[in-house]
Amino acid sequence: MADGPGSESNGGFPYDLGAFDLDGTVLRRDLTITPATVKAFEALRRRGMRLVVATGRRFEGAYEHAEKLGFGGDDPVVCYGGSMVRRMNGETLLHRKIPRDVSLEVLEWAAERGLHARVFTDGGIIISPETSAAMKHVSYREPDVRIVESPARWLREDATEDPTKLVIVDHPRDVPRWLGEAKDAFAGRLHVTRSLPHYVEVGGLLGTKSEGLKFLCERWGIEPGRTLAFGDADNDIDMLRFAGCGVAVGPMDGEVRAAADRVAPPVHEDGVARFVGELVGEEV
């Protein structure tokens, strides 16, 4: 659809815009998307809904999965946890970066604690040397990953642009030991949230999925109350609260559940497809 005002009634259907997290919501652990999920997206499009992927992944990592879900051309993807909105054709609509001074603080904070850090810029990833957590949980198969001894030094001396997103990686059992401390240390300056059990994302205060969704609502003239959002993790909480109907895809922790209006079965049970099937009144 071309840019323009959203439908006030949409033929009686209650939603004009649907936002979908990828990992753990429509994307299974083995990185597959089921035919039922694809059919669910098609069913919503037939009812006039605009759909968007809203993911913590960078654009390059989101593209192939969005394509399988039927996105292409002018369709936007909310990526980097909300710090960027970019069309599938590569046109950037919104790009919020993290100021260099506070980015350096985060990287130095992580280094002092022996944590693996990753710096995401538009088109590249700078990472610290391997830790046991990084070796177990993070893949380095991307061609544009560069390992440096000190990401903080790299950012201070060699970087040509400010980061889009920062990530700290640790064993899932150990993240709770320092996550609260990190949130406190950067409160009021950065948005610190857990996206995967081993993955803590750090972005600007406006680098959130809800802000990315708000940007599109304003661009398309859609009331937030006519949005539908699906997510399963901490970095989806603000989006679930923003949407007219936030759907938590199980299993989820208590805070994610509390932020949602409805609950859907887990991704391995095709929770999104089952929810959409009930919503549209047909089998998908």
Side-chain angles (χ1 to χ4, degrees):
M1 294 183 183
D3 289 350
S7 167
E8 292 185 1
S9 62
N10 203 5
F13 199 67
Y15 305 109
D16 294 319
L17 174 60
F20 299 81
D21 169 55
L22 284 178
D23 295 270
T25 299
V26 297
L27 191 62
R28 294 189 172 196
R29 187 178 295 273
D30 61 0
L31 302 184
T32 59
I33 295 171
T34 66
T37 300
V38 175
K39 287 178 63 178
F41 275 61
E42 293 171 350
L44 293 176
R45 289 189 178 102
R46 286 197 301 272
R47 281 156 179 81
M49 282 187 69
R50 293 179 182 269
L51 305 183
V52 63
V53 164
T55 177
R57 288 173 174 261
R58 61 185 184 137
F59 177 76
E60 292 82 0
Y63 182 93
E64 62 176 304
H65 304 299
E67 191 174 43
K68 292 174 184 176
L69 289 165
F71 293 92
D74 290 341
D75 295 329
V77 175
V78 178
C79 47
Y80 292 104
S83 293
M84 177 182 286
V85 179
R86 175 172 283 172
R87 296 186 193 272
M88 290 287 285
N89 62 18
E91 179 189 359
T92 300
L93 303 178
L94 176 72
H95 188 187
R96 294 184 169 116
K97 301 180 182 181
I98 311 173
R100 191 164 305 202
D101 55 351
V102 71
S103 296
L104 286 168
E105 285 188 53
V106 173
L107 295 174
E108 290 167 351
W109 186 94
E112 289 170 1
R113 290 156 181 79
L115 299 171
H116 177 81
R118 315 187 96 198
V119 182
F120 288 79
T121 60
D122 187 9
I125 309 173
I126 299 295
I127 68 175
S128 62
E130 292 180 338
T131 61
S132 59
M135 292 175 67
K136 181 175 182 179
H137 298 291
V138 180
S139 169
Y140 302 118
R141 287 176 294 179
E142 298 100 330
D144 46 6
V145 171
R146 177 184 170 193
I147 302 174
V148 299
E149 185 62 33
S150 169
R153 186 184 310 120
W154 172 85
L155 183 59
R156 186 184 300 109
E157 299 176 0
D158 301 322
T160 58
E161 62 178 296
D162 292 346
T164 300
K165 184 178 77 169
L166 305 171
V167 165
I168 302 174
V169 179
D170 201 1
H171 292 290
R173 67 177 183 274
D174 294 331
V175 170
R177 299 176 186 173
W178 53 263
L179 180 56
E181 181 187 351
K183 289 182 176 181
D184 290 342
F186 302 104
R189 296 187 292 162
L190 295 171
H191 180 64
V192 180
T193 185
R194 195 172 186 174
S195 57
L196 294 170
H198 60 280
Y199 219 68
V200 172
E201 299 186 359
V202 181
L205 292 177
L206 297 180
T208 64
K209 292 186 179 183
S210 63
E211 286 292 332
L213 198 55
K214 178 182 177 182
F215 170 81
L216 291 175
C217 283
E218 292 173 349
R219 185 180 182 91
W220 289 333
I222 294 174
E223 291 294 326
R226 294 186 60 81
T227 62
L228 176 66
F230 294 82
D232 72 306
D234 288 0
N235 69 329
D236 297 310
I237 288 174
D238 64 286
M239 179 174 71
L240 296 177
R241 288 175 175 160
F242 173 85
C245 180
V247 183
V249 179
M252 79 298 290
D253 65 26
E255 190 174 359
V256 177
R257 173 63 186 87
D261 302 290
R262 301 281 300 278
V263 173
V267 65
H268 66 270
E269 296 179 12
D270 269 342
V272 169
R274 290 169 60 180
F275 186 97
V276 171
E278 293 178 6
L279 179 65
V280 301
E282 66 181 65
E283 184 177 352
V284 298

